[in-house]
Amino acid sequence: MTASLTELDDDLVRSMAIGAVFSDFGGMIHSIDFHRKDDLLVTASEDDSVRLYDIANAKLLKSTYHKKHGTDRICFTHHPSSVICSSKYTLESTGESLRYLSMYDNRCLRYFKGHKQRVVSLCMSPINDSFMSGSLDHSVRIWDLRVNACQGILHLRGRPAVAYDQQGLVFAVAMEGGAIKLFDSRSYDKGPFDTFLVGGDTAEVCDIKFSNDGKSMLLTTTNNNIYVLDAYGGEKRCGFSLEPSPGTPIEATFTPDGKYMVAGSGSGTMQVWSIETKNEVACWTSHIGVPSCLKWAPRRAMFAAASSVLTFWIPNNDSKLETQYGGTDAEAGP
């Protein structure tokens, strides 16, 4: 088994190395997501595939292809074999911007119509069947998995990024000019209860994440600046500028204990910082170019990084894990 998350320290983080590689994608991987409770990862990629992985055994469980709509942003629902996926094609003609998919029997359970342009941010509520999507049509829509119709809409300027906190009580929306607006998820129609400004950075925020303890927010901008904000007061706890990656967005992620932050870079490296000390703890070569997707597993000492190749990173001093993963040649599965 992997090391428990309470044991994450500088030495264990520094020891992280590639434990499995999946290189049979037909193009860039657009997004990845871990299931909150099960040892599963899902990917959406340029080859119109959605792929489901067992992360405990580094095994591909299922691949489905979606040639009509394509695949772009993806996230798990609460069910381990159901996902929400945004569309790349036919948006203007069908309006079918989001689909609720069953990986178990490769069925579309529901279409969600509304967005007229590409969805660039997608997240599921951790406590109920609500989910949110942010689109280049300058809107954020709130949905319910059980209902076709949009439940709420927020119109805003610029490219929106959305995230729920880990308790599902608050959601954040980033918009033009570095403004982060916080809403009560039960009464968002009353407007934001707080607004933070990332001072001095006019780049658009392309990703928001809350730490598991709800105390911090992680912002990634389109010009590869990364900020950690206090989630209560909005004060900037730390900020880092990474090498530019023209045409390729990067992603940053908290460790589940909220102590560390990992980010990709335009230089093809990945860096880790201690949020408390603001010091760099490790810097690795990604071996896959610029990693456009990067997420740490919710319950394991493991993270996934992806470009057109998917890699699983694990502590390389765990001999049991190396045996479990079988080195770097991962099993391709069906």
Side-chain angles (χ1 to χ4, degrees), residues 38 47 93 114 125 180 213 228 234 262 312:
D38 290 19
D47 60 9
S93 59
S125 165
I180 314 296
D213 60 11
V228 177
V262 189
F312 292 171

Side-chain angles (χ1 to χ4, degrees), residues 281-294:
V281 174
C283 181
W284 308 290
T285 299
S286 75
H287 302 289
I288 59 170
V290 179
S292 54
C293 302
L294 183 64

Side-chain angles (χ1 to χ4, degrees), residues 1 19 45 68 73 77 101 104 119 155 157 210 223 259 286 289 299 327:
M1 291 295 292
S45 57
K68 179 183 175 184
R73 313 309 301 170
T77 65
L101 305 174
Y104 174 72
V119 170
H155 295 284
R157 299 187 310 276
F210 281 90
N223 63 356
K259 292 180 182 176
S286 75
R299 301 178 303 110

Side-chain angles (χ1 to χ4, degrees), residues 41-114:
L41 174 85
V42 68
T43 65
S45 57
E46 195 176 2
D47 60 9
D48 302 329
S49 71
V50 172
R51 306 185 191 205
L52 184 67
Y53 294 88
D54 170 355
I55 63 169
N57 299 295
K59 183 178 180 181
L60 175 65
L61 299 175
K62 185 107 183 205
S63 297
T64 60
Y65 286 85
H66 307 266
K67 297 296 183 185
K68 179 183 175 184
H69 294 88
T71 64
D72 200 349
R73 313 309 301 170
I74 198 158
C75 68
F76 273 107
T77 65
H78 299 290
H79 193 283
S81 63
S82 297
V83 298
I84 306 158
C85 184
S86 69
S87 305
K88 269 194 310 187
Y89 318 129
T90 69
L91 279 176
E92 291 184 9
S93 59
T94 67
E96 293 167 349
S97 53
L98 295 156
R99 288 118 57 219
Y100 176 19
L101 305 174
S102 167
M103 293 292 288
Y104 174 72
D105 51 6
N106 193 20
R107 278 194 308 133
C108 181
L109 305 175
R110 195 179 302 282
Y111 291 103
F112 299 96
K113 297 183 179 183

Side-chain angles (χ1 to χ4, degrees), residues 14-234:
R14 283 191 196 101
S15 80
M16 300 294 281
I18 293 176
V21 178
F22 301 88
S23 56
D24 57 340
F25 290 85
M28 291 297 292
I29 297 163
H30 294 308
S31 60
I32 64 175
D33 191 38
F34 286 101
H35 193 269
R36 287 177 180 274
K37 295 181 178 175
D38 290 19
D39 283 326
L40 296 170
L41 174 85
V42 68
T43 65
S45 57
E46 195 176 2
D47 60 9
D48 302 329
S49 71
V50 172
R51 306 185 191 205
L52 184 67
Y53 294 88
D54 170 355
I55 63 169
N57 299 295
K59 183 178 180 181
L60 175 65
L61 299 175
K62 185 107 183 205
S63 297
T64 60
Y65 286 85
H66 307 266
K67 297 296 183 185
K68 179 183 175 184
H69 294 88
T71 64
D72 200 349
R73 313 309 301 170
I74 198 158
C75 68
F76 273 107
T77 65
H78 299 290
H79 193 283
S81 63
S82 297
V83 298
I84 306 158
C85 184
S86 69
S87 305
K88 269 194 310 187
Y89 318 129
T90 69
L91 279 176
E92 291 184 9
S93 59
T94 67
E96 293 167 349
S97 53
L98 295 156
R99 288 118 57 219
Y100 176 19
L101 305 174
S102 167
M103 293 292 288
Y104 174 72
D105 51 6
N106 193 20
R107 278 194 308 133
C108 181
L109 305 175
R110 195 179 302 282
Y111 291 103
F112 299 96
K113 297 183 179 183
H115 289 301
K116 297 302 182 186
Q117 293 188 51
R118 185 176 154 237
V119 170
V120 291
S121 189
L122 184 64
C123 63
M124 183 82 204
S125 165
I127 58 168
N128 57 34
D129 285 328
S130 300
F131 68 98
M132 281 191 302
S133 56
S135 165
L136 294 178
D137 64 11
H138 309 303
S139 73
V140 168
R141 289 176 180 262
I142 294 121
W143 312 85
D144 187 306
L145 283 176
R146 300 163 295 182
V147 185
N148 290 55
C150 175
Q151 302 298 293
I153 183 166
L154 304 169
H155 295 284
L156 43 90
R157 299 187 310 276
R159 172 199 177 110
V162 295
Y164 284 98
D165 77 339
Q166 297 299 326
Q167 289 71 44
L169 302 176
V170 171
F171 66 79
V173 178
M175 56 193 71
E176 194 174 71
I180 314 296
K181 294 187 181 291
L182 299 183
F183 294 81
D184 184 325
S185 59
R186 297 156 298 185
S187 55
Y188 55 82
D189 53 323
K190 294 178 181 176
F193 65 82
D194 210 345
T195 300
F196 302 152
L197 291 171
V198 184
D201 192 336
T202 55
E204 290 181 305
V205 173
C206 55
D207 188 45
I208 314 180
K209 291 183 176 72
F210 281 90
S211 59
N212 278 351
D213 60 11
K215 293 179 181 177
S216 302
M217 271 194 297
L218 178 57
L219 312 179
T220 307
T221 70
T222 51
N223 63 356
N224 290 8
N225 287 335
I226 295 168
Y227 302 101
V228 177
L229 304 187
D230 181 284
Y232 301 120

